[in-house]
């Protein structure tokens, strides 16, 4: 008992008590501030979205498309099924399909598009020529060789023509918005191409 | 006890005899003989002795002279070959070949030998002695174990027209610090391989009386425009661009030939025809030389097939380096650096020489055919 009294009256006990009270006050202030901030956010929230959306923005159910990749056994560019929720608007659809082509290939296939390549933009003119603007990685990251260049271009063209048999007649490959003579010094890409 | 010891002794004796009789002899791969058109004449089982390939004497009857006789004197180990009106005497184990029409005997590096109970000739005999007996050229591809026997007149350099000097432009692709071309996993670089082949073609071609010019003769960067300007200014008769191939699959292999054709397997959108005033301009393009380019590619294909495991394919695509060259032009991909076998082959100096020799021969054959068609009476 005497020992307990000693502890109660000790200075140490007083210091610990003050510290504990300070912490409790700080926590209470923080909680009050957080709840206040939440109230402000709710007040600043945008009005509710309209119930009827623009028809072109509606994302329909997934569809099957063909992506053309290199089959390392047959050594040919072969179709691989992919499922995409395609937009009805052709340019958006084209961008979706070509973007799907530059993704990682399934384990049994090789992707002839160099890693890191991005699709900047697509455009289809009145003469049914599709302009596909890729990032510089398509040329700078290319392994070279006529065969490799042909595989890259064939994969792009086959994927586009398979998805748009009537809407697109030629494909012009652009690098960072500009025409480039060639990807790696062999195949002439200065003009729109078709098979 | 006695019987067991005797058994062991006999077994040891048998092993010793077996080792001695088979020492240095091993089954070598089959050697394929082809004619000038690269058609197979026969496949012959060879015998390997001390690293040298030996073939049965009978082979000569199949690939060289069906009427040849070859009496063999067993006790003296002497072989006599009677072929093409000439008589050759060979002593087994000796490198001397006595040809009755020649004063001096011909010396081989490896002697004919009796192997597996029959007289056999080293493959060198076919390479070096047959051209002395008849008007034939014999080429040996060590990698594929292929021997090509063809009439010498097919590619004799003396048939080229002296009054018409042929200028051939060889374009070793890529070059410089920034443009290495493609690379193999073991460090073979395209720009180095194509320069080595280009220089070898120049050396061999100049020896044969051809005027060979390179678009680059050292490891420097040359733009496409510079290469085309060098080519057109030199007013060559032929243009050959040398490259090494690559693929995303390591299974792609072999040589390939390409011709520029914007209306080939990949087609350009039809460009408007340039008009000056009311007249259409007839601008000279590579398209004006499409037929000649195809002919040159066919000759290259036929000759290079001798070095190839699989037949070489000619493809027609829009090829940028050939597009503005105003002469018959072909792009040759020498092999895939993404394929281990091709990369190993392309790093072998002997293969480089063999490829260069074949290209020079193809250029000679093409030039002879052009001169003959331009001057059919040989006047």
């Amino acid at each position: 008992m005497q020992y307990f009294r000693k502890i109660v009256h000790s200075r140490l006990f007083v210091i610990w008590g003050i510290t504990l009270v300070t912490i409790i006050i700080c926590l209470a202030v923080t909680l009050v501030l957080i709840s206040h901030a939440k109230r402000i956010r709710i007040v600043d929230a945008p009005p509710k979205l309209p119930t009827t959306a623009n028809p072109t923005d509606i994302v329909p159910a997934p569809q099957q498309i063909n992506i053309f990749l290199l089959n390392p056994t047959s050594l040919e560019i072969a179709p691989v099924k992919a499922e995409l929720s395609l937009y009805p608007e052709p340019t958006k659809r084209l961008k979706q399909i070509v973007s799907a082509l530059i993704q990682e290939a399934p384990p049994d296939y090789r992707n002839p598009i160099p890693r890191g390549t991005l699709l900047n933009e697509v455009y289809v003119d009145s003469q049914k020529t599709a302009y596909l603007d890729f990032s510089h990685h398509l040329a700078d990251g290319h392994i070279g060789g006529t065969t490799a260049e042909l595989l890259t271009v064939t994969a792009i063209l086959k994927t586009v023509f398979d998805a748009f048999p009537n809407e697109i007649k030629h494909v012009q490959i652009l690098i960072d918005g500009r025409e480039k003579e060639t990807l790696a010094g062999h195949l002439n890409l200065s003009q729109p191409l078709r098979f | 006890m006695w019987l067991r010891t005797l058994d062991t002794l006999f077994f040891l004796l048998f092993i010793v005899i077996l080792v001695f009789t088979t020492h240095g002899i091993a089954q070598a791969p089959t050697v394929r003989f082809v004619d000038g058109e690269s058609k197979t004449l026969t496949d012959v089982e060879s015998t390997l002795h001390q690293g040298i390939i030996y073939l049965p004497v009978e082979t000569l009857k199949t690939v060289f002279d069906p009427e040849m006789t070859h009496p063999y004197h067993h006790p003296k180990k002497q072989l006599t070959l009677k072929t093409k009106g000439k008589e050759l005497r060979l002593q087994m184990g000796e490198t001397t070949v006595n040809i009755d029409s020649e004063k001096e005997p011909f010396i081989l590096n490896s002697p004919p030998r009796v192997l597996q109970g029959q007289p056999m000739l080293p493959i060198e005999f076919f390479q070096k002695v047959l051209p002395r007996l008849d008007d034939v050229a014999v080429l040996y591809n060590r990698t594929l174990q292929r021997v090509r026997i063809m009439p010498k007149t097919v590619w004799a350099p003396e048939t080229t027209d002296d009054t018409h000097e042929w200028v051939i432009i060889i374009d070793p692709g890529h070059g410089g610090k920034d443009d290495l071309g493609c690379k193999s996993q073991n460090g073979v670089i395209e720009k180095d391989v194509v320069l080595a082949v280009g220089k070898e073609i120049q050396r061999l071609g100049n020896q044969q009386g051809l005027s060979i010019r390179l678009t680059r003769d050292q490891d420097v960067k040359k733009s496409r425009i510079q290469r085309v300007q060098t080519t057109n200014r030199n007013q060559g008769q032929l243009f050959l661009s040398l490259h090494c191939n690559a693929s995303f699959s390591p299974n792609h292999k072999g040589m390939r030939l390409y011709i520029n054709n914007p209306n080939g397997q990949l087609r350009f959108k039809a460009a408007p025809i340039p008009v000056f005033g009311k007249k259409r301009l007839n601008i000279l393009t590579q398209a004006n030389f499409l037929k000649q380019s195809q002919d040159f590619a066919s000759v290259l294909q036929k000759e290079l097939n001798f070095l190839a495991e699989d037949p070489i394919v000619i493809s027609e695509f829009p090829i940028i380096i050939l597009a503005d060259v105003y002469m018959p032009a072909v792009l040759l991909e020498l092999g895939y650096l993404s394929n281990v076998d091709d990369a190993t082959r392309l790093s072998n100096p002997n293969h480089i020489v063999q490829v260069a020799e074949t290209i020079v021969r193809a250029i000679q054959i093409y030039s002879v055919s052009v001169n003959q068609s331009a001057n059919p009476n040989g006047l």
Side-chain angles (χ1 to χ4, degrees), chain B residues 325-345:
Chain B
V325 171
Y326 306 141
M327 63 193 73
V330 172
L331 185 147
L332 168 63
E333 291 281 4
L334 296 159
Y336 286 82
L337 290 184
S338 48
N339 177 273
V340 177
D341 293 341
D342 276 9
T344 310
R345 216 169 287 148

Side-chain angles (χ1 to χ4, degrees), chain B residues 8 48 66 80 96 138 147 207 209 238 295 302 323 330 345 349 370:
Chain B
T8 317
L48 201 64
T80 308
T96 314
V138 181
V147 179
Q207 279 177 6
L238 282 176
D295 291 344
K302 200 167 129 188
V330 172
R345 216 169 287 148
V370 170

Side-chain angles (χ1 to χ4, degrees), chain A residues 109-137:
Chain A
Y109 290 85
R110 301 270 189 284
N111 196 333
I113 311 293
R115 269 191 190 169
T117 302
L118 300 170
L119 180 65
N120 297 330
E121 203 44 78
V122 300
Y123 170 73
V124 183
D125 72 7
S126 58
Q127 292 181 314
K128 297 185 177 181
T129 299
Y131 293 83
L132 308 180
D133 179 21
F134 293 95
S135 66
H136 65 93
H137 306 89

Side-chain angles (χ1 to χ4, degrees), chain A residues 12-28:
Chain A
L12 192 68
F13 180 80
V14 175
I15 291 164
W16 274 110
I18 291 165
T19 311
L20 199 67
V21 169
T22 315
I23 289 167
I24 290 165
I25 290 166
C26 284
L27 275 171

Side-chain angles (χ1 to χ4, degrees), chain A:
Chain A
M1 195 66 184
Q2 274 183 346
Y3 179 73
F4 180 72
R5 277 179 190 169
K6 266 184 189 175
I7 290 171
V8 169
H9 293 289
S10 71
R11 282 181 184 174
L12 192 68
F13 180 80
V14 175
I15 291 164
W16 274 110
I18 291 165
T19 311
L20 199 67
V21 169
T22 315
I23 289 167
I24 290 165
I25 290 166
C26 284
L27 275 171
V29 170
T30 313
L31 281 169
V32 167
L33 284 173
I34 287 169
S35 65
H36 187 68
K38 270 186 179 175
R39 257 180 235 158
I40 290 167
R41 205 174 291 163
I42 289 160
V43 169
D44 289 350
K48 280 185 180 175
L49 287 165
T51 48
T52 52
N54 187 342
T56 56
D57 292 337
I58 295 168
V59 180
Q63 293 176 40
Q64 271 207 338
I65 55 151
N66 286 323
I67 297 295
F68 286 78
L69 300 168
L70 175 65
N71 182 331
T73 314
S74 69
L75 300 178
E76 285 181 1
I77 295 291
V80 178
K81 296 277 179 216
E83 244 180 30
L84 284 180
S85 296
L86 293 171
Y87 286 105
E89 204 267 308
T91 311
K92 280 189 176 179
R93 206 160 77 232
L94 175 63
K95 196 168 181 179
Q96 277 182 295
I97 291 167
V98 180
S99 298
L101 169 68
I102 63 181
Q103 301 303 311
E104 195 77 28
D108 296 343
Y109 290 85
R110 301 270 189 284
N111 196 333
I113 311 293
R115 269 191 190 169
T117 302
L118 300 170
L119 180 65
N120 297 330
E121 203 44 78
V122 300
Y123 170 73
V124 183
D125 72 7
S126 58
Q127 292 181 314
K128 297 185 177 181
T129 299
Y131 293 83
L132 308 180
D133 179 21
F134 293 95
S135 66
H136 65 93
H137 306 89
L138 186 67
D140 297 347
H142 205 278
I143 60 168
T146 311
T147 298
E149 272 187 82
L150 274 166
L151 291 171
T152 304
V153 173
T154 305
I156 295 169
L157 265 61
K158 280 195 169 181
T159 302
V160 171
F161 294 139
D162 185 73
F164 301 91
N166 301 315
E167 298 93 329
I168 295 172
K169 295 290 174 203
H170 291 91
V171 170
Q172 170 80 64
I173 293 170
L174 305 173
I175 303 294
D176 282 339
R178 292 181 177 203
E179 283 173 8
K180 195 163 166 67
E181 274 191 346
T182 177
L183 292 180
H186 312 91
L187 206 59
N188 190 345
L189 301 181
S190 60
Q191 289 190 41
L193 292 164
R194 72 179 171 93
F195 290 116

